[in-house]
Amino acid sequence: MSTLVRTPAFKPGSLPRANLLPLSETRRRDVRRIGRSWVTIGLGSLVVALLLIGGAFALNVQAALRLAAANADTDRVIAEIAELAPVSQAVAQRTELSGLVTQAMAGDISWREAVGTIADALPSGVTVTGYALAAGQVPGDTAPEETVGAAGSVTVVSDEPISLVEATRALRGVDAILEVSVQTLAEEEGLYTYTVEVQLDQTIYSGDFAPEQATETE
């Protein structure tokens, strides 16, 4: 079996070159060159890995800083809300008091004046002995003269019988009375007892619990 031997080409005008290195040295140099390549690749990979780790760490730090800032904002808002707690309590108390005042206005009646209005319109000799009047609705936008302020019955006695028609007519002439009727209840030992069923308007309210009117400031 013949072996093909390759002869280096010789170019005219150039010096001939001869590779005098032994085959073992050539292989050793090839191994070193390949080793340097792998070392370079390994170092490059390490640098890339370090860059990736550094980038991830930087992102983590930024996220932690943003979280800390958000927590600080949350704490600040909570502190501000805590500072406003007394204001909220004051507003709630004011609302509650306004509700109580509104409820009180429904019974804001000068009862003695209301009963006296009825007694003054009755004939002489008639005495009021009792009454059962219930407060009407809370004053609103309607005219007080047209809205019921109190309704119920008033008991009166007289030594002499009175005319129901005249007594009713006299009571209907009173400005504060919306509706009225006089009825006989009983007669005992010379005393005549009558009941006056009446509706009074809101002009009988005392106005003690009415809200204060806001004054204009110049």
Side-chain angles (χ1 to χ4, degrees):
M1 182 177 182
S2 61
T3 301
L4 178 61
V5 178
R6 182 176 181 182
T7 302
F10 177 74
K11 296 182 180 180
S14 62
L15 296 176
R17 291 184 302 171
N19 186 2
L20 302 178
L21 293 176
L23 182 60
S24 59
E25 180 65 19
T26 303
R27 290 179 177 177
R28 186 179 66 82
R29 291 185 178 184
D30 291 339
V31 170
R32 290 180 61 185
R33 179 174 53 79
I34 295 173
R36 285 196 298 269
S37 300
W38 281 110
V39 169
T40 303
I41 294 173
L43 291 176
S45 300
L46 179 61
V47 171
V48 172
L50 291 176
L51 290 176
L52 292 176
I53 294 174
F57 179 77
L59 292 176
N60 190 21
V61 170
Q62 292 180 358
L65 292 176
R66 287 196 296 267
L67 179 60
N71 290 334
D73 292 339
T74 301
D75 294 339
R76 177 179 55 80
V77 172
I78 292 175
E80 291 177 355
I81 292 175
E83 292 177 356
L84 293 176
V87 178
S88 300
Q89 294 176 357
V91 172
Q93 292 176 355
R94 181 174 181 179
T95 302
E96 182 179 0
L97 290 176
S98 298
L100 294 176
V101 169
T102 301
Q103 295 176 5
M105 289 175 63
D108 183 21
I109 297 175
S110 178
W111 295 105
R112 180 174 298 180
E113 181 180 351
V115 176
T117 299
I118 297 173
D120 293 341
L122 293 172
S124 59
V126 178
T127 304
V128 176
T129 59
Y131 63 89
L133 297 174
Q137 58 184 327
V138 177
D141 297 333
T142 58
E145 298 82 2
E146 301 175 357
T147 309
V148 176
S153 62
V154 177
T155 304
V156 299
V157 297
S158 174
D159 295 336
E160 300 290 337
I162 62 175
S163 172
L164 301 181
V165 175
E166 293 181 0
T168 301
R169 185 181 298 114
L171 288 170
R172 287 180 178 175
V174 179
D175 293 337
I177 295 178
L178 296 175
E179 296 289 340
V180 66
S181 65
V182 182
Q183 303 173 4
T184 304
L185 183 61
E187 186 273 330
E188 184 178 357
E189 297 181 357
L191 289 178
Y192 298 88
T193 303
Y194 301 89
T195 58
V196 180
E197 301 293 333
V198 65
Q199 289 185 1
L200 300 168
D201 62 25
Q202 291 186 351
T203 58
I204 63 172
Y205 282 9
S206 65
D208 294 338
F209 295 97
E212 298 180 358
Q213 298 293 333
T215 58
E216 295 183 358
T217 57
E218 296 181 357

